[in-house]
Coordinates of all heavy atoms in Angstrom, one line a residue:
A5 N -11.0 6.8 2.5 CA -10.2 5.7 2.2 C -8.7 6.2 2.3 O -8.5 7.3 1.9 CB -10.5 5.2 0.7
V6 N -7.9 5.3 2.8 CA -6.5 5.7 3.0 C -5.5 4.7 2.4 O -5.9 3.5 2.1 CB -6.3 6.0 4.5 CG1 -6.9 7.2 4.9 CG2 -6.6 4.8 5.3
A7 N -4.3 5.2 2.2 CA -3.3 4.3 1.6 C -1.9 4.7 2.1 O -1.7 5.9 2.5 CB -3.4 4.2 0.1
W8 N -1.0 3.8 1.9 CA 0.5 4.1 2.2 C 1.1 4.0 0.8 O 1.0 3.0 0.1 CB 1.1 3.2 3.1 CG 0.7 3.5 4.6 CD1 -0.2 2.9 5.3 CD2 1.3 4.4 5.4 NE1 -0.3 3.4 6.5 CE2 0.7 4.4 6.6 CE3 2.4 5.4 5.2 CZ2 1.0 5.2 7.7 CZ3 2.8 6.1 6.3 CH2 2.1 6.1 7.6
F9 N 1.9 5.0 0.4 CA 2.7 5.0 -0.9 C 4.2 5.1 -0.3 O 4.5 5.5 0.7 CB 2.4 6.1 -1.8 CG 1.1 6.0 -2.5 CD1 -0.1 6.3 -1.8 CD2 1.0 5.7 -3.8 CE1 -1.3 6.1 -2.4 CE2 -0.2 5.4 -4.5 CZ -1.3 5.8 -3.8
R10 N 5.1 4.7 -1.3 CA 6.5 4.9 -1.0 C 7.2 5.3 -2.3 O 6.7 5.0 -3.4 CB 7.1 3.7 -0.4 CG 7.3 2.5 -1.3 CD 7.8 1.4 -0.6 NE 8.0 0.2 -1.4 CZ 8.4 -1.0 -0.9 NH1 8.6 -1.2 0.3 NH2 8.5 -2.1 -1.8
Q11 N 8.2 6.1 -2.2 CA 9.0 6.5 -3.3 C 10.5 6.4 -2.9 O 11.0 7.0 -2.0 CB 8.7 7.8 -3.7 CG 9.4 8.2 -5.0 CD 8.8 9.4 -5.7 OE1 8.1 10.2 -5.1 NE2 8.9 9.5 -7.0
A12 N 11.2 5.5 -3.7 CA 12.7 5.4 -3.5 C 13.4 6.3 -4.5 O 12.8 6.6 -5.5 CB 13.1 4.0 -3.7
P13 N 14.6 6.7 -4.3 CA 15.3 7.6 -5.2 C 15.4 6.9 -6.7 O 15.7 5.8 -6.8 CB 16.7 7.7 -4.7 CG 16.5 7.5 -3.2 CD 15.4 6.5 -3.1
G14 N 14.9 7.8 -7.7 CA 15.0 7.2 -9.0 C 13.9 6.4 -9.4 O 13.8 5.9 -10.6
L15 N 12.9 6.1 -8.5 CA 11.8 5.2 -8.8 C 10.5 6.0 -8.7 O 10.4 7.0 -8.1 CB 11.8 4.1 -7.9 CG 13.1 3.1 -7.9 CD1 12.8 2.0 -7.0 CD2 13.3 2.5 -9.3
E16 N 9.5 5.4 -9.4 CA 8.2 6.1 -9.3 C 7.5 5.7 -7.9 O 7.8 4.7 -7.4 CB 7.3 5.5 -10.4 CG 7.7 5.9 -11.8 CD 6.7 5.6 -12.9 OE1 5.7 4.9 -12.6 OE2 6.9 5.9 -14.0
R17 N 6.7 6.6 -7.5 CA 5.9 6.4 -6.3 C 5.0 5.1 -6.5 O 4.3 5.1 -7.5 CB 5.1 7.6 -5.9 CG 4.4 7.5 -4.6 CD 4.0 8.9 -4.2 NE 3.2 9.7 -5.1 CZ 2.9 10.9 -4.9 NH1 3.3 11.6 -3.8 NH2 2.2 11.6 -5.9
E18 N 5.0 4.3 -5.5 CA 4.1 3.1 -5.7 C 3.2 3.0 -4.5 O 3.6 3.3 -3.3 CB 4.9 1.8 -5.8 CG 5.8 1.4 -4.6 CD 6.3 0.0 -4.6 OE1 5.7 -0.9 -5.3 OE2 7.3 -0.2 -3.9
C19 N 2.0 2.3 -4.7 CA 1.1 2.1 -3.6 C 1.6 0.9 -2.9 O 1.6 -0.2 -3.5 CB -0.3 2.0 -4.1 SG -1.6 1.6 -2.7
V20 N 1.9 0.9 -1.6 CA 2.3 -0.2 -0.9 C 1.1 -1.0 -0.3 O 1.0 -2.1 -0.3 CB 3.3 0.2 0.3 CG1 3.6 -0.9 1.2 CG2 4.5 0.9 -0.3
A21 N 0.1 -0.2 0.2 CA -1.0 -0.8 0.9 C -2.1 0.2 0.9 O -1.9 1.4 1.0 CB -0.8 -1.4 2.3
A22 N -3.4 -0.3 0.8 CA -4.6 0.6 0.8 C -5.6 -0.1 1.7 O -5.7 -1.3 1.6 CB -5.0 1.0 -0.5
I23 N -6.5 0.6 2.3 CA -7.6 0.1 3.1 C -8.9 0.9 2.9 O -8.8 2.1 2.7 CB -7.1 0.0 4.6 CG1 -8.2 -0.7 5.4 CG2 -7.0 1.5 5.1 CD1 -7.7 -1.0 6.8
S24 N -9.9 0.2 2.8 CA -11.2 0.9 2.5 C -11.7 1.6 3.8 O -11.2 1.5 5.0 CB -12.3 -0.2 2.2 OG -12.4 -1.2 3.2
R25 N -12.8 2.3 3.6 CA -13.3 3.2 4.7 C -13.7 2.3 5.9 O -13.6 2.8 7.1 CB -14.5 3.9 4.2 CG -14.2 5.1 3.2 CD -15.4 5.6 2.6 NE -16.3 6.1 3.7 CZ -17.5 6.7 3.5 NH1 -18.0 6.6 2.3 NH2 -18.3 7.1 4.5
D26 N -14.3 1.1 5.7 CA -14.8 0.3 6.7 C -13.9 -0.8 7.1 O -14.3 -1.8 7.8 CB -16.2 -0.2 6.3 CG -16.1 -1.1 5.0 OD1 -15.0 -1.3 4.5 OD2 -17.2 -1.6 4.7
S27 N -12.7 -0.8 6.6 CA -11.7 -1.8 6.8 C -12.0 -3.2 6.3 O -11.3 -4.2 6.6 CB -11.3 -2.0 8.3 OG -10.9 -0.7 8.9
S28 N -13.0 -3.3 5.4 CA -13.4 -4.6 5.0 C -12.5 -5.1 3.8 O -12.4 -6.3 3.6 CB -14.9 -4.6 4.4 OG -15.0 -3.7 3.3
N29 N -11.9 -4.2 3.2 CA -10.9 -4.6 2.1 C -9.5 -3.9 2.3 O -9.5 -2.7 2.7 CB -11.5 -4.1 0.8 CG -12.6 -5.1 0.3 OD1 -12.5 -6.3 0.2 ND2 -13.8 -4.6 0.1
A30 N -8.5 -4.6 1.9 CA -7.1 -4.1 1.9 C -6.5 -4.6 0.7 O -6.7 -5.6 0.2 CB -6.4 -4.5 3.2
Y31 N -5.5 -3.8 0.3 CA -4.7 -4.1 -0.9 C -3.3 -4.0 -0.5 O -2.9 -3.2 0.3 CB -5.0 -3.0 -2.0 CG -3.8 -3.0 -3.0 CD1 -3.8 -3.8 -4.2 CD2 -2.7 -2.1 -2.9 CE1 -2.8 -3.8 -5.0 CE2 -1.7 -2.1 -3.8 CZ -1.7 -2.9 -4.9 OH -0.7 -2.9 -5.7
Y32 N -2.5 -4.9 -1.0 CA -1.0 -5.0 -0.8 C -0.3 -5.2 -2.1 O -0.7 -6.0 -2.9 CB -0.6 -6.1 0.2 CG -1.3 -5.9 1.6 CD1 -2.4 -6.6 1.9 CD2 -0.7 -5.1 2.5 CE1 -3.0 -6.4 3.1 CE2 -1.2 -4.9 3.7 CZ -2.4 -5.5 4.0 OH -3.0 -5.5 5.3
A33 N 0.7 -4.3 -2.2 CA 1.7 -4.6 -3.4 C 2.3 -5.9 -3.2 O 2.6 -6.4 -2.1 CB 2.7 -3.5 -3.5
D34 N 2.7 -6.6 -4.3 CA 3.3 -7.8 -4.3 C 4.7 -7.7 -3.5 O 5.0 -8.7 -2.8 CB 3.6 -8.4 -5.7 CG 2.4 -8.8 -6.4 OD1 1.4 -9.1 -5.8 OD2 2.5 -8.9 -7.6
S35 N 5.3 -6.6 -3.5 CA 6.6 -6.4 -2.9 C 6.5 -6.5 -1.3 O 7.5 -6.7 -0.7 CB 7.3 -5.1 -3.3 OG 6.3 -4.0 -3.1
V36 N 5.3 -6.3 -0.7 CA 5.1 -6.3 0.7 C 4.1 -7.3 1.1 O 4.0 -7.5 2.4 CB 4.8 -4.9 1.3 CG1 5.8 -3.8 0.8 CG2 3.3 -4.5 0.8
K37 N 3.5 -8.0 0.2 CA 2.5 -9.0 0.6 C 3.2 -10.1 1.5 O 4.2 -10.7 1.2 CB 1.9 -9.7 -0.7 CG 0.5 -10.3 -0.5 CD 0.0 -10.6 -1.9 CE -0.4 -9.4 -2.7 NZ -1.1 -9.7 -3.9
G38 N 2.5 -10.3 2.6 CA 3.0 -11.2 3.6 C 3.8 -10.6 4.7 O 4.2 -11.2 5.7
R39 N 4.3 -9.4 4.4 CA 5.2 -8.7 5.3 C 4.5 -7.4 5.9 O 5.1 -6.9 6.9 CB 6.6 -8.4 4.6 CG 7.3 -9.5 4.2 CD 8.7 -9.1 3.6 NE 8.6 -8.1 2.5 CZ 9.1 -6.9 2.6 NH1 9.7 -6.5 3.7 NH2 9.1 -6.1 1.6
G40 N 3.6 -6.9 5.2 CA 3.0 -5.6 5.5 C 1.5 -5.8 5.9 O 0.9 -6.7 5.4
T41 N 1.1 -5.0 6.9 CA -0.3 -5.0 7.4 C -0.7 -3.6 7.6 O -0.2 -2.8 8.3 CB -0.4 -5.8 8.7 OG1 0.1 -7.1 8.5 CG2 -1.9 -5.9 9.1
I42 N -1.8 -3.3 6.8 CA -2.4 -1.9 7.0 C -3.6 -2.1 7.8 O -4.3 -3.0 7.8 CB -2.7 -1.3 5.6 CG1 -3.1 0.1 5.8 CG2 -3.8 -2.1 4.9 CD1 -3.3 0.9 4.5

């Protein structure tokens, strides 16, 4: 299973998007929902 995280200066690392092994499920942070595709 894989994911993308990001960390900006002074901020905690956050999960931006994650995808399951078989691509059947994906997660998006609210901050990128509608703009990001994993």
Side-chain angles (χ1 to χ4, degrees):
V6 290
W8 287 95
F9 287 77
R10 70 184 180 187
Q11 187 165 24
L15 299 180
E16 292 187 356
R17 186 162 53 186
E18 66 167 336
C19 182
V20 175
I23 191 166
S24 61
R25 290 174 56 186
D26 62 359
S27 299
S28 64
N29 286 301
Y31 160 87
Y32 296 97
D34 288 343
S35 56
V36 303
K37 204 167 288 184
R39 301 188 298 119
T41 303
I42 188 170

